[in-house]
Amino acid sequence: MNFQSKANKYVCPNDRQLSLRAKLRTGWSAARSEPPLTTSEREAIAAVVKRAEKLEEVEAKRVGRLVARLEGMRRSAQGPAPRSCLLCGETARLLSPLRTCSICRHTACSKCVIETFPYRKMTNGRPPLYSREAYMCNLCAETREMWKKSGAWFFKSLPKYILPQRRATGRYNDTELARSLQDAGNSSNDGKTDSEPGSPLSIHAPTFSRQPSNTDSRKSITSPHETHYEWSETDILSHGFSGLSLHRADSLTQRPLTNLKRTGSKGSAYSLRSIRKEIPKPVDQIERPPMIPDAGFGTLEIRLAYENSTSSLAVTVLRARGLIGMDMTGLADPFCRLEVLPREGAYSNRLRTKTVHKTKNPEFNETLHFFGITESDLAVKSLEIVLFDDDRYGCDEMGSATVSLRECTKSPTQLRLALLGSSGAEPTGPRILLALCYSTKRRALVVNVCKGADLPPQDSNGYSDPFVKLHLDPDPYHKKHKTSIKWRNLNPVWNEEFLFETRPTELSRQNLTLTVWDKDYGKPNDFLGSLVLGASSKGRRLKHWMDCIKFPDHRHEQWHSLTDTQHL
Amino acid sequence: MAKTYDYLFKLLLIGDSGVGKTSILFRFSEDAFNISFISTIGIDFKIRTIDLDGKKVKLQIWDTAGQERFRTITTAYYRGSMGIMLVYDVTNEKSFENIKNWIRNIEENASADVEKMILGNKCDLDAKRQVSKERGEQLAVEYQIKFVETSAKDSLNVEFAFYTLARDIKAKMEKKQEASNPPGGRSGVQLKANEQNRKPTSWLARCSVL
Ligand SMILES: Nc1nc2c(ncn2[C@@H]2O[C@H](COP(=O)(O)OP(=O)(O)OP(=O)(O)O)[C@@H](O)[C@H]2O)c(=O)[nH]1
Ligand SMILES: [Mg+2]
Ligand SMILES: [Zn+2]
Ligand SMILES: [Zn+2]
């Protein structure tokens, strides 16, 4: 080694010299000898900057979604009120006392807080002797999460973000929200932001929403509206539905296949999204037979009550009857999504009910509240209710209904609505076109992976190099297939055929799993999406599968949405 | 539906020209190596998403030109960086000595919260070595910065270096979050946690409410 000889080629200037140079903007770290860049160099740099901008936009949209999500939470929160939950409005009860959020200092019920452990006091790996549990309300916890996820923790302010949709009018503008979020993430926060006038949490809790949500608390006072309810029943029938993509799965019901492993559906994803109240059943209520002529998608009973003192609309989703079957047993796991249309701001004020499992005749009995609905809104706005089937592999629409809010201008009304079939027949977003055919001759299921569309880009060049892996489960032959790789293509056309030896009787117990991947050399492939068709799938996926079994030797081609969960 | 990530960390590679910054990044992002030297023009970046404790962390790694004539452009990228890799070449004494200058450059241009790491690259070239590992370690101790010797060619410690830097950034993030709201929360608090481990009410907590 001869580093001595080379070492003296460079003499490191001492610290004083360096700091002096820095101040004088001369020397090593200053731009002292920079010849102008050539045109090609400029172009190269500009190309990189452009690429970075694209990425920034993706990031800004992601942060925008985080912001929107949090704002949605804030909006649907009940607001601070003495002795009641900031989020869901539940009042203190003996067995579930309220907690005080250690950050915003508001009270929240045990369902709307998380426990936190102050680990700073931990000594020698042991928790402190007198550790008092600390709580954080879900709103503060979510704000923290958002603070971390957006990178705001580092930049000390919310980075640039693009909201999911541009808001035209809105009660709270973006900067206001950004400021309140910043405050929430700062140590200076003392919860004041939550009670500022005009902030989403300043909505004063309407009296009717302050009742225990627990059904077993019989002492609950009935809502004041209940007393002057006019049971004016208006059946609204609408015909002329579009799209027959979903059929009554009666044919499926006829062959009840027992011992089928059903896909476990996750419950409502987020407890804060809706404010749920179990309403006491009125005594005078009689079960009405589902006599009305529906369009084949069943009926839905709701009750609307408008309260002008609080500018709120209470929608009670009572029950649905005769819904279409979605799974192998001809049952479904329905829930309702409610939205007041047209939208006013960027985000829809959507609320959802709980999921009622394994039924075609769900009893929802749930009241959801829309706030900020003015009396003039009632004349021009309508309520859209869409029923979905809760499913791990995607959400299939089961039917929908729209009702004008004029219905409840004068007094609360109870309505029975005919559900219409889903109009969105073809899926959008990342999707795949599949052709299935059971060949009696070859005694095999022939799967043609036709093409993909709108696949997510995974590589820095803005493309992916997609290929599809597929297998049948259970499969005694353990066959695993793979398509070719389509380089730099978000809309690849494969048209490749694969054979799985099986029998039609087996098929009704099997599932075909497809996963789409982005080929990467030297590192794990990126997951692009997945799809499960088969006995334990639901909705259009199940229909496709059953069609293929019922009509062998026919090509059954259908587009399917890819889901981003890698449930394998 | 585009696969989304939990965090975006912006990293930066700096160091003299020819020390192997681009090669290190090429190894990390493409797991490949190129023996020929194509000096970087201005700036470039690569993306790789890694998994840290179950969180998807998207790394946007900026590669800068070591050549001095691009200095104005490259220093503009210091500010937004959450982590910086200082790279020298173990076969080049001068590049090692210059680390001090690069650190100074960071102090002048980067955020005070930036995480740093020193890499002594080309450690596969033992015959040409001019800077011993001990000297690298010593410098790192002096500046209180983590240090590791790497080889982009032999794929030595490259993954380790990036994962370590990303992990340090994540740890800092959790700590900052902790410090910002005094009563504090557990790191990586999940809303779901509440549903799973709802503890029986403590006597004390009940008292404070009733
Ligand atoms: N043996 C060996 N050679 C390496 C290693 N890393 C980089 N090189 C070689 O060193 C040369 C310079 O590498 P680059 O990565 O382009 O250097 P750089 O730091 O990006 O240079 P600038 O872009 O000018 O700042 C190339 O010829 C590489 O093949 C290594 O770990 N071992
Ligand atoms: Mg380079
Ligand atoms: Zn609550
Ligand atoms: Zn709080």
Side-chain angles (χ1 to χ4, degrees):
Chain A
M1 277 207 281
N2 60 339
F3 74 71
Q4 278 300 356
S5 61
K6 269 203 177 173
N8 49 32
K9 274 190 193 165
Y10 178 82
V11 182
C12 185
N14 69 34
D15 280 6
R16 174 117 47 79
Q17 273 176 304
L18 276 173
S19 64
L20 212 81
R21 277 187 196 173
K23 277 191 188 120
L24 297 169
R25 304 292 300 151
T26 59
W28 191 86
S29 60
R32 99 198 123 163
S33 57
E34 282 184 23
L37 304 177
T38 66
T39 323
S40 64
E41 281 172 346
R42 274 175 205 287
E43 276 169 5
I45 293 164
V48 173
V49 170
K50 206 164 182 178
R51 200 153 55 83
E53 275 169 2
K54 242 195 217 157
L55 200 93
E56 269 165 31
E57 196 188 313
V58 171
E59 172 67 0
K61 281 183 179 157
R62 184 185 71 100
V63 176
R65 285 195 296 273
L66 294 171
V67 171
R69 187 188 137 90
L70 186 59
E71 197 193 21
M73 267 179 80
R74 280 174 183 261
R75 280 216 204 179
S76 56
Q78 291 280 301
R83 293 174 58 77
S84 62
C85 175
L86 166 76
L87 286 127
C88 72
E90 193 167 308
T91 48
R93 275 177 297 122
L94 190 70
L95 292 172
S96 74
L98 295 171
R99 317 284 194 206
T100 301
C101 172
S102 60
I103 291 160
C104 69
R105 293 275 152 209
H106 288 306
T107 50
C109 75
S110 59
K111 282 174 291 190
C112 302
V113 293
I114 52 168
E115 254 177 70
T116 59
F117 308 96
Y119 65 73
R120 67 181 64 249
K121 283 182 194 143
M122 211 143 1
T123 41
N124 305 334
R126 274 184 290 121
L129 214 53
Y130 302 104
S131 91
R132 240 194 92 169
E133 290 132 288
Y135 298 94
M136 201 196 308
C137 77
N138 281 347
L139 214 49
C140 288
E142 184 67 17
T143 307
R144 274 190 166 205
E145 274 300 295
M146 131 98 197
W147 201 248
K148 285 201 287 187
K149 288 187 169 175
S150 65
W153 68 274
F154 184 82
F155 301 111
K156 297 181 182 75
S157 69
L158 212 58
K160 189 180 88 182
Y161 65 88
I162 301 164
L163 291 170
Q165 271 170 285
R166 221 40 259 164
R167 59 173 53 211
T169 53
R171 272 164 298 166
Y172 325 110
N173 60 43
D174 300 348
T175 44
E176 193 183 315
L177 178 75
R179 184 161 35 80
S180 74
L181 289 176
Q182 267 178 35
D183 292 342
N186 283 342
S187 49
S188 60
N189 177 48
D190 54 8
K192 283 220 177 69
T193 43
D194 287 343
S195 46
E196 265 171 15
S199 110
L201 290 186
S202 64
I203 310 159
H204 280 290
T207 44
F208 60 81
S209 73
R210 296 283 174 198
Q211 47 169 298
S213 64
N214 209 327
T215 28
D216 55 31
S217 59
R218 290 273 169 254
K219 58 184 176 185
S220 69
I221 2 100
T222 40
S223 124
H225 307 299
E226 224 111 62
T227 49
H228 60 256
Y229 247 125
E230 285 171 39
W231 294 89
S232 63
E233 190 182 322
T234 322
D235 286 338
I236 296 172
L237 298 174
S238 9
H239 303 279
F241 51 93
S242 60
L244 275 164
S245 61
L246 279 170
H247 305 289
R248 283 191 93 112
D250 287 341
S251 49
L252 299 177
T253 3
Q254 284 159 14
R255 35 150 84 220
L257 292 140
T258 43
N259 296 330
L260 270 176
K261 194 173 67 87
R262 263 196 11 88
T263 53
S265 47
K266 51 175 192 273
S268 75
Y270 203 53
S271 62
L272 291 173
R273 235 186 289 175
S274 60
I275 305 143
R276 301 188 188 106
K277 298 288 165 295
E278 297 277 349
I279 55 129
K281 274 207 180 111
V283 264
D284 57 341
Q285 195 185 325
I286 29 134
E287 184 71 71
R288 283 169 218 78
M291 291 287 14
I292 64 156
D294 64 79
F297 294 90
T299 59
L300 180 73
E301 283 180 62
I302 59 162
R303 188 194 300 149
L304 300 174
Y306 181 70
E307 175 63 39
N308 49 15
S309 64
T310 54
S311 298
S312 67
L313 173 71
V315 183
T316 305
V317 181
L318 296 162
R319 63 189 64 82
R321 288 290 176 265
L323 296 177
I324 53 167
M326 297 300 281
D327 67 6
M328 197 59 135
T329 58
L331 299 175
D333 304 292
F335 69 88
C336 302
R337 191 193 70 196
L338 283 70
E339 185 174 10
V340 173
L341 296 171
R343 294 174 191 175
E344 258 202 41
Y347 340 111
S348 51
N349 192 6
R350 283 176 176 175
L351 301 172
R352 64 161 285 184
T353 67
K354 278 179 289 207
T355 299
V356 181
H357 290 283
K358 279 190 133 331
T359 179
K360 293 174 79 167
N361 303 303
E363 286 285 342
F364 292 105
N365 284 327
E366 208 175 318
T367 303
L368 303 157
H369 298 276
F370 288 94
F371 296 104
I373 308 277
T374 62
E375 227 163 341
S376 54
D377 280 344
L378 295 181
V380 293
K381 293 201 172 180
S382 55
L383 173 72
E384 185 203 54
I385 304 168
V386 186
L387 274 93
F388 288 98
D389 182 39
D390 204 334
D391 182 2
R392 262 163 80 196
Y393 307 124
C395 268
D396 276 297
E397 205 181 299
M398 299 175 69
S400 66
T402 307
V403 56
S404 166
L405 293 185
R406 240 177 256 139
E407 297 289 336
C408 62
T409 329
K410 294 206 178 68
S411 59
T413 38
Q414 188 158 333
L415 309 161
R416 191 186 301 173
L417 311 163
L419 293 168
L420 306 179
S422 78
S423 50
E426 291 297 43
T428 51
R431 57 195 186 275
I432 195 163
L433 184 65
L434 276 189
L436 300 179
C437 174
Y438 185 76
S439 167
T440 47
K441 214 170 73 201
R442 293 198 265 185
R443 286 172 165 259
L445 172 71
V446 184
V447 181
N448 188 316
V449 181
C450 309
K451 51 185 164 185
D454 296 335
L455 298 181
Q458 283 295 325
D459 295 343
S460 50
N461 57 20
Y463 288 98
S464 288
D465 311 311
F467 70 98
V468 181
K469 285 198 225 175
L470 55 159
H471 72 269
L472 210 54
D473 180 44
D475 178 12
Y477 307 102
H478 301 289
K479 270 265 176 61
K480 285 196 162 59
H481 294 293
K482 227 186 249 186
T483 67
S484 61
I485 299 155
K486 297 294 165 194
W487 300 101
R488 288 170 61 91
N489 202 334
L490 299 178
N491 298 291
V493 178
W494 288 288
N495 266 326
E496 291 173 35
E497 237 173 48
F498 304 97
L499 252 71
F500 293 98
E501 283 175 65
T502 182
R503 306 256 185 90
T505 48
E506 297 298 341
L507 266 185
S508 57
R509 261 174 280 152
Q510 288 170 312
N511 286 297
L512 175 71
T513 302
L514 289 98
T515 47
V516 188
W517 301 86
D518 171 33
K519 183 68 195 171
D520 278 315
Y521 282 111
K523 58 174 175 157
N525 297 321
D526 285 318
F527 177 74
L528 294 179
S530 72
L531 171 67
V532 177
L533 287 179
S536 58
S537 68
K538 299 168 93 181
R540 16 184 317 125
R541 296 172 296 283
L542 177 65
K543 186 185 168 293
H544 193 184
W545 193 254
M546 295 313 293
D547 282 355
C548 164
I549 300 170
K550 277 186 283 180
F551 306 106
D553 300 312
H554 279 77
R555 193 181 147 103
H556 301 271
E557 202 178 285
Q558 205 174 311
W559 280 101
H560 293 284
S561 291
L562 293 168
T563 49
D564 52 4
T565 40
Q566 204 177 327
H567 39 68
L568 293 169
Chain B
M1 163 205 104
K3 182 179 80 176
T4 173
Y5 42 92
D6 296 300
Y7 309 114
L8 173 71
F9 288 175
K10 295 183 183 194
L11 311 181
L12 185 76
L13 287 157
I14 58 172
D16 284 6
S17 181
V19 295
K21 297 179 296 297
T22 303
S23 304
I24 288 168
L25 186 50
F26 194 48
R27 172 60 74 193
F28 184 66
S29 64
E30 256 94 300
D31 198 18
F33 179 76
N34 196 342
I35 199 76
S36 59
F37 178 28
I38 304 155
S39 195
T40 303
I41 299 162
I43 39 149
D44 196 9
F45 72 87
K46 290 260 191 284
I47 299 289
R48 185 173 153 187
T49 304
I50 62 166
D51 188 282
L52 282 186
D53 320 314
K55 296 281 182 197
K56 270 192 166 34
V57 182
K58 182 169 173 173
L59 303 178
Q60 181 183 20
I61 308 156
W62 286 95
D63 178 21
T64 61
Q67 288 179 58
E68 214 167 334
R69 60 197 212 89
F70 295 113
R71 203 60 44 88
T72 324
I73 294 157
T74 56
T75 45
Y77 287 83
Y78 283 41
R79 186 60 60 195
S81 302
M82 298 170 176
I84 297 180
M85 296 279 195
L86 291 129
V87 189
Y88 71 90
D89 175 353
V90 298
T91 69
N92 181 344
E93 173 72 25
K94 184 191 162 192
S95 75
F96 176 69
E97 294 294 344
N98 261 340
I99 287 294
K100 288 183 180 183
N101 297 324
W102 287 110
I103 290 174
R104 184 166 303 277
N105 220 15
I106 291 172
E107 282 162 2
E108 283 170 16
N109 298 290
S111 156
D113 288 326
V114 73
E115 286 290 329
K116 297 173 283 269
M117 190 159 183
I118 299 172
L119 308 186
N121 192 41
K122 306 195 191 179
C123 70
D124 55 288
L125 300 174
D126 231 12
K128 292 193 194 164
R129 185 187 277 271
Q130 292 184 358
V131 185
S132 70
K133 195 176 172 183
E134 288 66 39
R135 287 176 68 206
E137 281 164 350
Q138 211 179 324
L139 181 81
V141 168
E142 191 182 320
Y143 283 96
Q144 307 243 359
I145 300 174
K146 280 188 186 169
F147 164 76
V148 69
E149 280 198 348
T150 60
S151 167
K153 185 167 170 277
D154 290 358
S155 190
L156 199 81
N157 284 336
V158 174
E159 289 272 308
F160 171 82
F162 281 103
Y163 270 86
T164 303
L165 190 63
R167 223 176 271 285
D168 287 350
I169 294 168
K170 190 164 173 284
K172 180 168 257 174
M173 174 177 80
E174 311 285 10
K175 216 177 93 201
K176 279 228 145 180
Q177 202 59 247
E178 174 71 16
S180 64
N181 310 113
R186 200 171 23 150
S187 58
V189 164
Q190 291 280 301
L191 294 180
K192 271 181 247 138
N194 163 46
E195 246 107 287
Q196 284 147 10
N197 50 13
R198 208 173 290 156
K199 278 203 174 171
T201 323
S202 89
W203 175 85
L204 203 63
R206 205 183 311 155
C207 248
S208 62
V209 173
L210 299 176

mmCIF file with all atom_site columns, all heavy atoms in Angstrom, chain A residues 106 113 169 213 468 475 482 495 513 556 565 568:
data_model
loop_
_atom_site.group_PDB
_atom_site.id
_atom_site.type_symbol
_atom_site.label_atom_id
_atom_site.label_alt_id
_atom_site.label_comp_id
_atom_site.label_asym_id
_atom_site.label_entity_id
_atom_site.label_seq_id
_atom_site.pdbx_PDB_ins_code
_atom_site.Cartn_x
_atom_site.Cartn_y
_atom_site.Cartn_z
_atom_site.occupancy
_atom_site.B_iso_or_equiv
_atom_site.pdbx_formal_charge
_atom_site.auth_seq_id
_atom_site.auth_comp_id
_atom_site.auth_asym_id
_atom_site.auth_atom_id
_atom_site.pdbx_PDB_model_num
ATOM 1  N N   . HIS A 1 106 ? -60.391 15.861  25.131  1.00 0.00 ? 106 HIS A N   1
ATOM 2  C CA  . HIS A 1 106 ? -61.826 15.633  25.051  1.00 0.00 ? 106 HIS A CA  1
ATOM 3  C C   . HIS A 1 106 ? -62.115 14.234  25.546  1.00 0.00 ? 106 HIS A C   1
ATOM 4  O O   . HIS A 1 106 ? -61.223 13.392  25.639  1.00 0.00 ? 106 HIS A O   1
ATOM 5  C CB  . HIS A 1 106 ? -62.305 15.785  23.606  1.00 0.00 ? 106 HIS A CB  1
ATOM 6  C CG  . HIS A 1 106 ? -62.297 17.211  23.137  1.00 0.00 ? 106 HIS A CG  1
ATOM 7  N ND1 . HIS A 1 106 ? -62.933 18.204  23.825  1.00 0.00 ? 106 HIS A ND1 1
ATOM 8  C CD2 . HIS A 1 106 ? -61.721 17.791  22.063  1.00 0.00 ? 106 HIS A CD2 1
ATOM 9  C CE1 . HIS A 1 106 ? -62.750 19.351  23.195  1.00 0.00 ? 106 HIS A CE1 1
ATOM 10 N NE2 . HIS A 1 106 ? -62.008 19.129  22.123  1.00 0.00 ? 106 HIS A NE2 1
ATOM 11 N N   . VAL A 1 113 ? -61.276 5.196   21.580  1.00 0.00 ? 113 VAL A N   1
ATOM 12 C CA  . VAL A 1 113 ? -59.939 5.578   22.039  1.00 0.00 ? 113 VAL A CA  1
ATOM 13 C C   . VAL A 1 113 ? -58.997 4.397   21.880  1.00 0.00 ? 113 VAL A C   1
ATOM 14 O O   . VAL A 1 113 ? -59.426 3.259   21.739  1.00 0.00 ? 113 VAL A O   1
ATOM 15 C CB  . VAL A 1 113 ? -59.900 6.013   23.534  1.00 0.00 ? 113 VAL A CB  1
ATOM 16 C CG1 . VAL A 1 113 ? -60.645 7.294   23.748  1.00 0.00 ? 113 VAL A CG1 1
ATOM 17 C CG2 . VAL A 1 113 ? -60.416 4.906   24.433  1.00 0.00 ? 113 VAL A CG2 1
ATOM 18 N N   . THR A 1 169 ? -67.512 24.091  -3.576  1.00 0.00 ? 169 THR A N   1
ATOM 19 C CA  . THR A 1 169 ? -67.889 24.871  -2.400  1.00 0.00 ? 169 THR A CA  1
ATOM 20 C C   . THR A 1 169 ? -67.663 23.970  -1.206  1.00 0.00 ? 169 THR A C   1
ATOM 21 O O   . THR A 1 169 ? -67.742 22.771  -1.296  1.00 0.00 ? 169 THR A O   1
ATOM 22 C CB  . THR A 1 169 ? -69.367 25.270  -2.446  1.00 0.00 ? 169 THR A CB  1
ATOM 23 O OG1 . THR A 1 169 ? -70.128 24.075  -2.663  1.00 0.00 ? 169 THR A OG1 1
ATOM 24 C CG2 . THR A 1 169 ? -69.635 26.293  -3.502  1.00 0.00 ? 169 THR A CG2 1
ATOM 25 N N   . SER A 1 213 ? -76.091 3.547   22.347  1.00 0.00 ? 213 SER A N   1
ATOM 26 C CA  . SER A 1 213 ? -76.263 2.736   21.163  1.00 0.00 ? 213 SER A CA  1
ATOM 27 C C   . SER A 1 213 ? -76.506 1.287   21.515  1.00 0.00 ? 213 SER A C   1
ATOM 28 O O   . SER A 1 213 ? -76.813 0.473   20.675  1.00 0.00 ? 213 SER A O   1
ATOM 29 C CB  . SER A 1 213 ? -75.032 2.850   20.283  1.00 0.00 ? 213 SER A CB  1
ATOM 30 O OG  . SER A 1 213 ? -73.935 2.317   20.977  1.00 0.00 ? 213 SER A OG  1
ATOM 31 N N   . VAL A 1 468 ? -48.937 -13.073 -15.349 1.00 0.00 ? 468 VAL A N   1
ATOM 32 C CA  . VAL A 1 468 ? -49.976 -13.611 -14.476 1.00 0.00 ? 468 VAL A CA  1
ATOM 33 C C   . VAL A 1 468 ? -49.608 -15.021 -14.030 1.00 0.00 ? 468 VAL A C   1
ATOM 34 O O   . VAL A 1 468 ? -49.143 -15.826 -14.826 1.00 0.00 ? 468 VAL A O   1
ATOM 35 C CB  . VAL A 1 468 ? -51.346 -13.643 -15.208 1.00 0.00 ? 468 VAL A CB  1
ATOM 36 C CG1 . VAL A 1 468 ? -52.445 -14.173 -14.294 1.00 0.00 ? 468 VAL A CG1 1
ATOM 37 C CG2 . VAL A 1 468 ? -51.710 -12.267 -15.728 1.00 0.00 ? 468 VAL A CG2 1
ATOM 38 N N   . ASP A 1 475 ? -56.192 -28.529 -5.886  1.00 0.00 ? 475 ASP A N   1
ATOM 39 C CA  . ASP A 1 475 ? -55.893 -29.180 -7.155  1.00 0.00 ? 475 ASP A CA  1
ATOM 40 C C   . ASP A 1 475 ? -55.009 -30.395 -6.895  1.00 0.00 ? 475 ASP A C   1
ATOM 41 O O   . ASP A 1 475 ? -53.861 -30.256 -6.492  1.00 0.00 ? 475 ASP A O   1
ATOM 42 C CB  . ASP A 1 475 ? -55.165 -28.185 -8.085  1.00 0.00 ? 475 ASP A CB  1
ATOM 43 C CG  . ASP A 1 475 ? -54.772 -28.800 -9.414  1.00 0.00 ? 475 ASP A CG  1
ATOM 44 O OD1 . ASP A 1 475 ? -55.249 -29.920 -9.727  1.00 0.00 ? 475 ASP A OD1 1
ATOM 45 O OD2 . ASP A 1 475 ? -53.990 -28.169 -10.137 1.00 0.00 ? 475 ASP A OD2 1
ATOM 46 N N   . LYS A 1 482 ? -48.098 -19.905 -15.576 1.00 0.00 ? 482 LYS A N   1
ATOM 47 C CA  . LYS A 1 482 ? -47.569 -18.549 -15.644 1.00 0.00 ? 482 LYS A CA  1
ATOM 48 C C   . LYS A 1 482 ? -47.685 -18.067 -17.079 1.00 0.00 ? 482 LYS A C   1
ATOM 49 O O   . LYS A 1 482 ? -47.392 -18.825 -17.997 1.00 0.00 ? 482 LYS A O   1
ATOM 50 C CB  . LYS A 1 482 ? -46.076 -18.608 -15.288 1.00 0.00 ? 482 LYS A CB  1
ATOM 51 C CG  . LYS A 1 482 ? -45.611 -17.569 -14.297 1.00 0.00 ? 482 LYS A CG  1
ATOM 52 C CD  . LYS A 1 482 ? -44.117 -17.657 -14.161 1.00 0.00 ? 482 LYS A CD  1
ATOM 53 C CE  . LYS A 1 482 ? -43.703 -18.186 -12.806 1.00 0.00 ? 482 LYS A CE  1
ATOM 54 N NZ  . LYS A 1 482 ? -42.251 -18.129 -12.621 1.00 0.00 ? 482 LYS A NZ  1
ATOM 55 N N   . ASN A 1 495 ? -53.490 -13.446 -24.284 1.00 0.00 ? 495 ASN A N   1
ATOM 56 C CA  . ASN A 1 495 ? -54.173 -14.497 -25.037 1.00 0.00 ? 495 ASN A CA  1
ATOM 57 C C   . ASN A 1 495 ? -53.487 -15.841 -24.894 1.00 0.00 ? 495 ASN A C   1
ATOM 58 O O   . ASN A 1 495 ? -53.189 -16.503 -25.880 1.00 0.00 ? 495 ASN A O   1
ATOM 59 C CB  . ASN A 1 495 ? -54.290 -14.105 -26.516 1.00 0.00 ? 495 ASN A CB  1
ATOM 60 C CG  . ASN A 1 495 ? -55.623 -13.435 -26.792 1.00 0.00 ? 495 ASN A CG  1
ATOM 61 O OD1 . ASN A 1 495 ? -56.635 -13.790 -26.179 1.00 0.00 ? 495 ASN A OD1 1
ATOM 62 N ND2 . ASN A 1 495 ? -55.624 -12.454 -27.669 1.00 0.00 ? 495 ASN A ND2 1
ATOM 63 N N   . THR A 1 513 ? -57.216 -19.030 -8.613  1.00 0.00 ? 513 THR A N   1
ATOM 64 C CA  . THR A 1 513 ? -56.574 -17.824 -8.108  1.00 0.00 ? 513 THR A CA  1
ATOM 65 C C   . THR A 1 513 ? -55.591 -17.292 -9.146  1.00 0.00 ? 513 THR A C   1
ATOM 66 O O   . THR A 1 513 ? -54.744 -18.025 -9.638  1.00 0.00 ? 513 THR A O   1
ATOM 67 C CB  . THR A 1 513 ? -55.829 -18.110 -6.792  1.00 0.00 ? 513 THR A CB  1
ATOM 68 O OG1 . THR A 1 513 ? -56.766 -18.617 -5.852  1.00 0.00 ? 513 THR A OG1 1
ATOM 69 C CG2 . THR A 1 513 ? -55.203 -16.846 -6.229  1.00 0.00 ? 513 THR A CG2 1
ATOM 70 N N   . HIS A 1 556 ? -66.632 -18.557 -21.817 1.00 0.00 ? 556 HIS A N   1
ATOM 71 C CA  . HIS A 1 556 ? -67.256 -17.520 -20.998 1.00 0.00 ? 556 HIS A CA  1
ATOM 72 C C   . HIS A 1 556 ? -66.226 -16.445 -20.702 1.00 0.00 ? 556 HIS A C   1
ATOM 73 O O   . HIS A 1 556 ? -65.311 -16.658 -19.909 1.00 0.00 ? 556 HIS A O   1
ATOM 74 C CB  . HIS A 1 556 ? -67.781 -18.104 -19.682 1.00 0.00 ? 556 HIS A CB  1
ATOM 75 C CG  . HIS A 1 556 ? -68.786 -19.182 -19.896 1.00 0.00 ? 556 HIS A CG  1
ATOM 76 N ND1 . HIS A 1 556 ? -70.128 -18.928 -20.017 1.00 0.00 ? 556 HIS A ND1 1
ATOM 77 C CD2 . HIS A 1 556 ? -68.642 -20.525 -20.040 1.00 0.00 ? 556 HIS A CD2 1
ATOM 78 C CE1 . HIS A 1 556 ? -70.769 -20.065 -20.208 1.00 0.00 ? 556 HIS A CE1 1
ATOM 79 N NE2 . HIS A 1 556 ? -69.884 -21.050 -20.230 1.00 0.00 ? 556 HIS A NE2 1
ATOM 80 N N   . THR A 1 565 ? -55.276 -6.745  -2.557  1.00 0.00 ? 565 THR A N   1
ATOM 81 C CA  . THR A 1 565 ? -54.859 -7.542  -1.396  1.00 0.00 ? 565 THR A CA  1
ATOM 82 C C   . THR A 1 565 ? -54.275 -8.859  -1.871  1.00 0.00 ? 565 THR A C   1
ATOM 83 O O   . THR A 1 565 ? -54.802 -9.512  -2.748  1.00 0.00 ? 565 THR A O   1
ATOM 84 C CB  . THR A 1 565 ? -56.052 -7.821  -0.458  1.00 0.00 ? 565 THR A CB  1
ATOM 85 O OG1 . THR A 1 565 ? -57.191 -8.102  -1.258  1.00 0.00 ? 565 THR A OG1 1
ATOM 86 C CG2 . THR A 1 565 ? -56.310 -6.645  0.446   1.00 0.00 ? 565 THR A CG2 1
ATOM 87 N N   . LEU A 1 568 ? -52.907 -14.504 0.070   1.00 0.00 ? 568 LEU A N   1
ATOM 88 C CA  . LEU A 1 568 ? -52.490 -15.897 -0.117  1.00 0.00 ? 568 LEU A CA  1
ATOM 89 C C   . LEU A 1 568 ? -51.454 -16.326 0.903   1.00 0.00 ? 568 LEU A C   1
ATOM 90 O O   . LEU A 1 568 ? -50.711 -15.515 1.396   1.00 0.00 ? 568 LEU A O   1
ATOM 91 C CB  . LEU A 1 568 ? -51.928 -16.067 -1.530  1.00 0.00 ? 568 LEU A CB  1
ATOM 92 C CG  . LEU A 1 568 ? -52.980 -15.908 -2.631  1.00 0.00 ? 568 LEU A CG  1
ATOM 93 C CD1 . LEU A 1 568 ? -52.304 -15.831 -3.983  1.00 0.00 ? 568 LEU A CD1 1
ATOM 94 C CD2 . LEU A 1 568 ? -53.977 -17.044 -2.624  1.00 0.00 ? 568 LEU A CD2 1
#
